[in-house]
Amino acid sequence: MPNTPVDVAIIGAGPAGLTAAYLLGKAGYSVTVIEKDPVYVGGISRTVEHQGFRFDIGGHRFFSKSQPVVDLWNEILPDDFIERPRMSRIYYEGKFYSYPLRAFEALGNLGIWRSTLCMASYAKAKLRPNPYVRSFEDWVVNQFGHKLYSIFFKTYTEKVWGMPCDTMSADWAAQRIKGLSLGGAVIDGLKRSLGLNKKPNDGMQTKTLLESFRYPRLGPGMMWDAARDKVLGHRNTILMGHALKQLAEDSTGRWRVTATDRDGATVTIDAGHVISSAPMRELAGRLHPLPTTLPQASALRYRDFLTVALMIKSPDLFPDNWIYIHDSKVKVGRVQNFRSWSPEMVPDPDIACVGLEYFCFEGDGLWASSDADLIALATKEMAILGLCDPAHVTGGAVVRQEKAYPVYDEEYRDNVDALREEIEARHPTLHCVGRNGMHRYNNQDHAMMTAMLTVRNIQAGARVHDIWSVNEDAEYHEAGNEGEQAGIAAALSSVREVPERLKAA
């Protein structure tokens, strides 16, 4: 490819990278995107196809409190959303617990004695909370009490992260369980159990209690395939199968982004700005000259992930979108039912397709296992859980996802802040976005919002928006009112001319 200068180079074609590429192209900027995967765009939000069966890498609901994000989804994929009911349950000690909670069901499953202990533990936590909250365990115990923490949080969380809950930062709990209290959940569950509250939860209250969501009929990859096509329609470039090799800023402030393809051939992109959704640890190691905070960046850790999809003879095994597995007897952490996400994901009405999710570290025993061994393990564990007869499994497939989750250990915040401060001070035209790009457990809509605001910053020629203030619900905390939302909405509607000083030579 000729090394034609561009306004912006983007590292990664996930939700953040493609959002930025689309909005920049719409505003008249020239853009080149590099993507390591040779086939799929969308990153962890892609949809993989195997013999006509489609499955997600984790499952991705489409809902947001941010109207600009919803508008952008509708703009990119106007005719292919379906409304889906949410049903998820927790599996614990051979029983299923509906989520959102149903008070009488939970009491019946736990039994009067254990339920009493849970409520007493909760009351104790509220009357005498731990004032020194440092870990995930501290935060959850303060919110729910130690008994409920041990039943519904500890086992699953330690499966996901591969580390004890008392060594994890409280930040993760505060993000992922934000807005949910035991009292509120029990009251909501009690009202629904008695038929007193039939109003659907549309996600505008507590996100964890969402009861329905929109979903592309062929999976989330459908959204990002459409975004890719729109980027190409702006006559911009996406280089698939190209991995970042080096990133260097020259004396004029322009960037030289070097990438290699699978055959080792290199391409160099000359760009005025760089937007990176690459893992911060990886970005730091490829910056030239190396940042002084490289040791801190190198200490950032990631949790990897694999999905074992099983095709099973059955019209449908269970109605849930997914089931959380709080059981130490099996390694699986969550089971997805892809027909419940969208019937069009499963082409044969007599075959169910489920995805068993395993959390691991790249190179460990699970990650290094053969596909055949992983399919055998998933089949065995489905039987242990009582979810299917192993004889009915007709096939399977394995997808590995490296660096799926940035790890929130006790040192992560200081390490992220150190690298971020150095990048912002030394490289004003280098922008970090998205989940791994910011080492934050971002949802899809949050990742998109960080990209939207970064586009505004590039247009303004300064960091006028602090993207690090975007939270996991894709809300930008500045004024906390509708004016704030209107300001962000301009990121979608603004189609200004490219300033002369930013145009590529």
Side-chain angles (χ1 to χ4, degrees):
M1 184 190 83
N3 296 335
T4 304
V6 295
D7 296 315
V8 185
I10 298 176
I11 303 166
L18 287 176
T19 295
Y22 170 64
L23 293 176
L24 286 165
K26 182 178 174 181
Y29 289 77
S30 57
V31 175
T32 295
V33 183
I34 62 170
E35 169 53 47
K36 184 177 180 181
D37 194 289
V39 178
Y40 294 103
V41 295
I44 198 172
S45 296
R46 69 190 184 276
T47 300
V48 175
E49 184 173 356
H50 175 77
Q51 297 179 353
F53 292 88
R54 295 173 179 268
F55 45 93
D56 291 9
I57 313 304
H60 297 272
R61 289 172 287 165
F62 281 70
F63 74 93
S64 178
K65 294 180 181 180
S66 170
Q67 189 60 46
V69 170
V70 174
D71 291 343
L72 184 55
W73 284 333
N74 292 336
E75 182 177 332
I76 293 173
L77 198 68
D79 302 316
D80 289 293
F81 277 108
I82 55 177
E83 187 76 18
R84 299 301 297 159
R86 173 198 163 157
M87 179 179 178
S88 61
R89 288 182 291 174
I90 295 169
Y91 178 95
Y92 174 71
E93 290 189 348
K95 295 181 180 179
F96 291 93
Y97 295 76
S98 298
Y99 200 80
L101 293 176
R102 293 178 181 166
F104 295 138
E105 176 193 75
L107 288 171
N109 281 351
L110 287 172
I112 296 298
W113 175 243
R114 186 178 286 181
S115 297
T116 302
L117 291 177
C118 287
M119 297 310 295
S121 176
Y122 172 70
K124 178 182 176 182
K126 291 305 172 185
L127 290 171
R128 300 181 61 185
N130 178 359
Y132 306 107
V133 176
R134 295 187 58 190
S135 70
F136 175 94
E137 180 174 303
D138 295 337
W139 193 96
V140 176
V141 169
N142 268 5
Q143 294 295 313
F144 301 97
H146 197 278
K147 190 66 176 177
L148 277 172
Y149 156 75
S150 65
I151 293 173
F152 290 123
F153 293 94
K154 180 177 169 60
T155 299
Y156 179 78
T157 301
E158 291 184 352
K159 276 187 187 182
V160 172
W161 297 102
M163 57 194 294
C165 288
D166 61 3
T167 65
M168 291 176 55
S169 169
D171 291 353
W172 186 85
Q175 280 195 26
R176 301 306 294 177
I177 316 173
K178 181 179 178 182
L180 175 65
S181 71
L182 176 63
V186 169
I187 290 170
D188 181 78
L190 183 60
K191 286 181 177 179
R192 292 177 189 280
S193 297
L194 295 173
L196 300 177
N197 183 6
K198 297 181 180 180
K199 181 180 178 180
N201 183 342
D202 62 2
M204 298 307 291
Q205 301 299 319
T206 301
K207 182 180 68 178
T208 315
L209 300 180
L210 185 76
E211 289 186 355
S212 66
F213 57 90
R214 293 195 309 153
Y215 189 73
R217 58 184 181 82
L218 295 178
M222 193 178 195
M223 168 66 69
W224 303 114
D225 288 347
R228 173 201 60 205
D229 294 344
K230 289 183 180 294
V231 171
L232 298 176
H234 291 144
R235 298 187 178 181
N236 283 319
T237 302
I238 300 177
L239 300 176
M240 301 297 296
H242 281 71
L244 176 66
K245 181 179 181 182
Q246 189 182 81
L247 185 62
E249 190 175 18
D250 66 21
S251 58
T252 70
R254 290 189 67 83
W255 288 95
R256 299 290 181 270
V257 182
T258 305
T260 57
D261 67 15
R262 302 180 77 185
D263 298 323
T266 63
V267 60
T268 300
I269 304 161
D270 174 354
H273 286 256
V274 174
I275 297 175
S276 174
S277 63
M280 292 188 83
R281 186 176 74 188
E282 182 178 315
L283 176 69
R286 286 161 174 75
L287 264 177
H288 180 74
L290 291 171
T292 61
T293 52
L294 181 62
Q296 289 94 322
S298 298
L300 294 173
R301 302 168 59 211
Y302 303 87
R303 187 68 162 158
D304 306 293
F305 173 92
L306 58 87
T307 292
V308 182
L310 296 180
M311 293 73 188
I312 303 167
K313 289 180 181 177
S314 172
D316 220 348
L317 295 170
F318 47 84
D320 308 69
N321 306 104
W322 68 92
I323 299 173
Y324 296 106
I325 309 299
H326 291 231
D327 193 318
S328 59
K329 296 192 296 294
V330 292
K331 294 181 179 180
V332 63
R334 188 167 58 179
V335 182
Q336 304 280 351
N337 180 6
F338 296 112
R339 193 191 304 279
S340 290
W341 286 88
S342 170
E344 292 188 56
M345 302 276 279
V346 182
D348 189 332
D350 296 322
I351 301 291
C353 180
V354 300
L356 285 81
E357 298 176 357
Y358 293 89
F359 307 95
C360 52
F361 290 112
E362 188 175 358
D364 71 9
L366 270 176
W367 184 271
S369 296
S370 68
D371 287 5
D373 286 346
L374 288 169
I375 291 168
L377 172 66
T379 302
K380 175 183 176 182
E381 294 197 340
M382 284 288 284
I384 291 173
L385 296 171
L387 295 178
C388 87
D389 182 340
H392 294 163
V393 175
T394 62
V398 177
V399 176
R400 293 169 175 81
Q401 176 65 47
E402 63 182 27
K403 297 180 177 64
Y405 303 105
V407 169
Y408 276 31
D409 55 27
E410 293 177 328
E411 295 81 29
Y412 97 96
R413 180 183 287 277
D414 290 341
N415 293 331
V416 168
D417 287 347
L419 179 59
R420 170 197 170 187
E421 289 167 8
E422 181 173 4
I423 286 175
E424 291 184 349
R426 293 179 56 185
H427 305 294
T429 55
L430 174 58
H431 313 270
C432 296
V433 298
R435 174 180 285 195
N436 280 336
M438 300 170 70
H439 203 86
R440 296 181 64 175
Y441 199 126
N442 296 344
N443 287 328
Q444 181 176 221
D445 56 341
H446 175 199
M448 293 171 65
M449 186 63 77
T450 65
M452 292 161 62
L453 295 173
T454 294
V455 169
R456 292 300 305 275
N457 288 344
I458 290 174
Q459 290 179 314
R463 297 185 194 271
V464 295
H465 295 287
D466 177 12
I467 68 166
W468 297 85
S469 294
V470 178
N471 77 0
E472 83 285 0
D473 290 320
E475 295 172 319
Y476 181 57
H477 293 293
E478 188 176 81
N481 55 35
E482 288 185 357
E484 157 194 297
Q485 291 287 326
I488 298 170
L492 294 179
S493 60
S494 175
V495 193
R496 302 187 326 213
E497 290 294 324
V498 182
E500 288 295 329
R501 60 188 174 83
L502 290 181
K503 286 188 177 178

